[in-house]
Every structure is written in C-alpha cells, then in structure tokens.
Amino acid sequence: MASNSFRSQIHLGVIIILIIITLLTPITTYNTSPQPWNILSHDDFAGKLTTASSSIESAATDFGHVTKIFPSAVLNPSSVEDITDLLKLSYDSQPSFTLAARGHGHSHRGQASAKDGVVVNMRSMVNRDRGIKVSRTGLYADVDAAWLWIEVLNKTLELGLTPVSWTDYLYLTVGGTLSNAGISGQTFRYGPQITNVQEMDVITGKGEIATCSKYMNSDLFFAALGGLGQFGIITRARIKLEVAPKRAKWFRFLYIDFSEFTRDQERLISETDGLDFLEGSVMLDRGPPDNWRSTYYPPSDHLRIVSMVKRRRVIYCLEVVKYYDETSQYTVNEEMEELGESLNFVKGFMYEKDVTYMDFLNRVRTGELSLKSKGQWDVPHPWLNLFVPKSQISKFDHGVFKGIILRNNITSGPVLVYPMNRNKWNDRMSAAIPEEDVFYAVGFLRSADFDDWEAYDRENMEILKFCEDANMRVIQYLPYHSSQEGWVRHFGPRWNIFLERKYKYDPKMILSPGQNIFQ
C-alpha cells in the first residue's frame, strides 16, 4: 500500500509540473527543415558533421558491446561554439533532433547514443597545446571536459600536483565521469569526483552556455554533476588539486569470514587520518586464477590461494594503500605494520607492494593492454554496478555471492565490494545514493563472448530481482532502466526535482536520449 501511495504521489507531481510548464511556455515559431541529415551543407558545420559509415558505426557501439544504436550523423567539433550552434539549431527546429555527448565510449548500455540523432565526438576538440590550465596558488586545474583523466594526471604531475578523487580506470573523459559520479577506493575519504569540482561550463539543451558553481548558477551546477547528461553538456571543469605524493604502499589481505571483512573495512573508512585508498573484492571458485587478478600475487603463492578458494568457494580480498613521500617515508612502514596487526585477515595471506604514485593510479592499464593483445578487450561487458546499504550487505553476500553467483557458475572478471561514507557526497547533486550513512559499491565487471553475454544479463536481472524481493533498497550506479517507472524508483523522492530540472534546462528532451529516461 505504501509503495502504491508513493507512486501515486510521484505521478500526481509529474502531472502538476507538466501542466504548469505548459501554461508558462510561450508560443514559439520554429524552423521546420533541419534534421541531422539535412544540415550537412550548413556552412557552420562544413567538414565537421559527417554521415560516413565508419563514423556512424563507431558511434553506434560502446565499451559494453551489447547494443548497437545508430545516429544519423556525428559531429566532430573543433570548438565549444560548434556544439552550441548545433544545439541551438535543434532547439529552434520543429521537430528538434537529439544529441548525445560521447567521450571515450566507455558506457556499457548505449547511454551515450542518439538514435537517429547526432552523436557529438567530444574527443575531436582535444588540443595537446591547450585544454588545461593549472593554478599552483589556487590548487586547481581548469580542464577541457574532453580530456582523459590520465592526461590530466600527466599534466598536473609535471607541477607536483594531483587531483584527489579517481576512478579505477583513467582512460575516461572528465565530462563522462562527472556526468555519473566518478568513484573508486578514494571515495570514502575524498568523496566522488563530482564533489571535487569547483566550477564548470555547461551547454544546456537550449544551446545556452553558462559558467556555474555552488555560488553562481548553482542549480545548473548541482544538476549537471551526476546528471547523466540530461541537463547539459559539460565542456570545462575546475578540479581541486593537492600536492602529489611520490609513492604508494599497497597491501592486500585475504579473508574467509565476510563479517570480519566488512567490519574491518567499515572501521578503516571511519578513521579520519588513515588510509588513502580502500577497496574490497570477491574471489570465487570459478575458472582460472586470472579471475581474481593473479598478477597481484606472487606466483609462489598461487597454489596456496587457489587451494583456499576451492576449499571455501568464496573468499574476500581487502586492498588498502597509503601514499607517502620523503617526509613520511620513515613512518609509513610502522603505520602499515600497526594496521596489519589490527586486522582479522587469514594470517599468512598478506601481500605488499611499493610502487610509484603514477603506477598505482594507472594500475588497470597493464591489464587492458594484456587483454587487447589477446583480442579480449573489445568484447561484451554486461556489467552491473550497485550501491547497497550497509544494513543489507550481509544479506547480499549470502543471497548473491554465496547464492546466485555460485549456483549459476558463470561469473568471470573482477567482483568489487567496498564501503563509502555518505557524508562525502552532496544531496544537491543529481547522483542517486542510499540513505544510510555507510553504503557499499558492488561491481560485477564481467567480460563475455558475443554468443553468451545474454546469460550474464539474465544473471544481472536475477540479482536485481533478488534485491527487490528482499526490499534491500539497492540503487544502480551507471544505471540502466528499461522504463520511466524504473527511473522513478531509481530517484525515489528526488524524481520530481530531476523532472523539474529537465524541463528547466532541456525542455525539448534533446540531450542524452540513450539514457532512456525521457521518451
């Protein structure tokens, strides 16, 4: 009954907002001719808007390789003005045509697609001689949103500075991660990437460009951060920096007891001046050791680890990092030794590395190059990423890790599970997260063959149904919902705010149709 009442209230709110917007919207005279395929000869887009089959094919696919959604054209802008002009043209046309900004194409379900519309190839604007301006005194970097995070890191490190919040994989665009949230093992301490932005330039669905921050055009600022591209295209972001450390002490501890594993994680993220990075993962009795990233462990211990995995069927790995430099190199060993003594891992299964700061942050790149060399990178990735409330994580372990996953026996690829603190997020931003003070990121980062990826997708649906039936209140990260009702549940009581912002900044529903939020 409560659920039906909530839905009724949401639907009533939607109707009221639509009526108000209809009454307040002035009658406008629109152009009737432009569509993506009809404006190729337009002087403003000469040589930039293309229908070449290679460009269309590339824009139709993404890292997920489970969808093919074809645009009518691809824009290769050389400036922000090119995007603004095309958006204005669409907005002033009747009917308008849809646009989607595409960075490095790392979405996994066609989120950066625009069926029969225009895909904007943001990377075409990258210029190595400009695009980033670093302020040593202000400790920030102004960055073109088309830049990859690895490019930002390389530039800031030249000046001994670094952003503080990262994703595990650095070959993603700034605009892409800020449109979602940008999370990894630093999130518990520094917050997601969206809370480390001070200012942005955003082009709305009306073709209007605005500079925004929490002090200026603040509603647009908070809407665009985590807004899934629904309110505007981010073209510039001011990223907070700090002095870069030199090296990283990198430890892994293996656990057989899930309650001890989570208890240790939750204690560690509550310490205000402790670790710089914390992630956890699940190691399953499934296939070769590569499934638990065997390169992370010395070959001499592989048999011991395999034996424990087979005996227990599911074990867990806690991964922690402490950064250091010349001023702290003599104390970091003592700190990490004390840390190890306080943990409840399986004694004898602790592993240590000492690497450069860059090598740690760019750690996924080695695996990427290895997979590419074997032809195993450009394959389907039916991923599922969830935020699970702390109060539900034990139930999730029992029902999913030790239930669905073991029973189906198909999962391959990393399975992540690690906590973060809600107080490091900002509720004014669009990203949806659980209400509890601590919640877990759970990621099934699967790779599949082209002829069997649907089995993984069915398992994803089984996991989501288990969570729904158990009333676990999980929320998808990098979300995909097949209906607007799913999106209403996703945002919960904040759906009306999301809807109001959509009609305010993109009233003709031009932007990011691939998210499938608005029809």
Side-chain angles (χ1 to χ4, degrees), residues 214-227:
K214 63 181 179 179
Y215 307 109
M216 174 175 52
N217 297 314
S218 61
D219 187 64
L220 177 59
F221 178 73
F222 291 119
L225 290 168

Side-chain angles (χ1 to χ4, degrees), residues 450-463:
F450 282 95
D451 59 356
D452 71 355
W453 69 266
E454 289 176 318
Y456 294 86
D457 205 41
R458 287 192 294 271
E459 182 170 87
N460 290 343
M461 295 302 104
E462 186 178 358
I463 293 169

Side-chain angles (χ1 to χ4, degrees), residues 211-484:
T211 297
C212 53
S213 70
K214 63 181 179 179
Y215 307 109
M216 174 175 52
N217 297 314
S218 61
D219 187 64
L220 177 59
F221 178 73
F222 291 119
L225 290 168
L228 305 175
Q230 294 303 302
F231 313 112
I233 296 176
I234 301 169
T235 60
R236 177 188 65 90
R238 178 168 290 180
I239 309 297
K240 183 170 66 176
L241 304 178
E242 68 175 25
V243 176
K246 296 293 192 300
R247 300 191 65 83
K249 286 285 185 183
W250 188 2
F251 281 76
R252 295 178 196 83
F253 305 91
L254 301 188
Y255 288 72
I256 58 175
D257 186 285
F258 187 73
S259 62
E260 291 180 342
F261 171 65
T262 54
R263 193 180 304 118
D264 280 349
Q265 288 195 86
E266 290 163 16
R267 175 178 63 82
L268 291 172
I269 71 165
S270 71
E271 297 174 356
T272 56
D273 190 26
L275 298 166
D276 296 295
F277 175 96
L278 180 148
E279 283 190 0
S281 58
V282 182
M283 300 163 67
L284 301 163
D285 179 20
R286 159 71 183 152
D290 285 343
N291 286 331
W292 40 263
R293 296 186 271 187
S294 60
T295 55
Y296 285 7
Y297 304 93
S300 59
D301 262 23
H302 283 191
L303 288 179
R304 291 177 65 223
I305 298 173
V306 168
S307 176
M308 185 162 65
V309 173
K310 288 189 173 298
R311 190 168 62 251
R312 306 293 305 197
R313 300 210 66 198
V314 180
I315 68 173
Y316 312 93
C317 173
L318 171 61
E319 190 174 352
V320 299
V321 170
K322 182 75 174 177
Y323 303 145
Y324 72 98
D325 54 25
E326 297 88 348
T327 62
S328 54
Q329 61 181 330
Y330 299 109
T331 59
V332 66
N333 287 331
E334 182 179 340
E335 291 178 28
M336 296 306 285
E337 184 177 340
E338 291 177 0
L339 171 72
E341 291 173 354
S342 73
L343 299 177
N344 294 298
F345 65 98
V346 181
K347 302 309 176 186
F349 288 90
M350 177 184 78
Y351 302 92
E352 175 187 356
K353 277 187 177 181
D354 191 309
V355 298
T356 67
Y357 179 66
M358 166 62 89
D359 285 347
F360 171 70
L361 290 181
N362 201 27
R363 61 198 177 280
V364 177
R365 180 65 167 173
T366 302
E368 175 194 359
L369 295 176
S370 174
L371 290 172
K372 282 184 173 179
S373 69
K374 301 172 185 176
Q376 297 174 357
W377 183 256
D378 294 319
V379 298
H381 295 97
W383 285 11
L384 178 64
N385 292 276
L386 303 172
F387 290 147
V388 181
K390 170 187 168 180
S391 65
Q392 304 297 317
I393 197 63
S394 293
K395 187 188 299 182
F396 191 93
D397 170 62
H398 181 76
V400 178
F401 297 147
K402 293 171 180 164
I404 294 171
I405 300 300
L406 286 183
R407 182 170 63 250
N408 292 343
N409 197 33
I410 63 171
T411 289
S412 61
V415 178
L416 304 180
V417 52
Y418 60 92
M420 48 190 70
N421 295 308
R422 196 181 197 282
N423 62 11
K424 298 295 183 179
W425 294 66
N426 188 323
D427 278 337
R428 296 181 67 185
M429 296 176 181
S430 292
I433 58 175
E435 291 296 327
E436 294 187 10
D437 291 342
V438 173
F439 58 92
Y440 279 76
V442 177
F444 299 91
L445 310 185
R446 300 162 158 141
S447 298
D449 294 326
F450 282 95
D451 59 356
D452 71 355
W453 69 266
E454 289 176 318
Y456 294 86
D457 205 41
R458 287 192 294 271
E459 182 170 87
N460 290 343
M461 295 302 104
E462 186 178 358
I463 293 169
L464 290 171
K465 186 177 187 306
F466 168 81
C467 294
E468 183 177 0
D469 291 346
N471 193 29
M472 293 174 64
R473 303 180 302 281
V474 305
I475 293 175
Q476 287 189 48
Y477 176 62
L478 308 178
Y480 172 80
H481 296 282
S482 59
S483 68
Q484 192 171 85

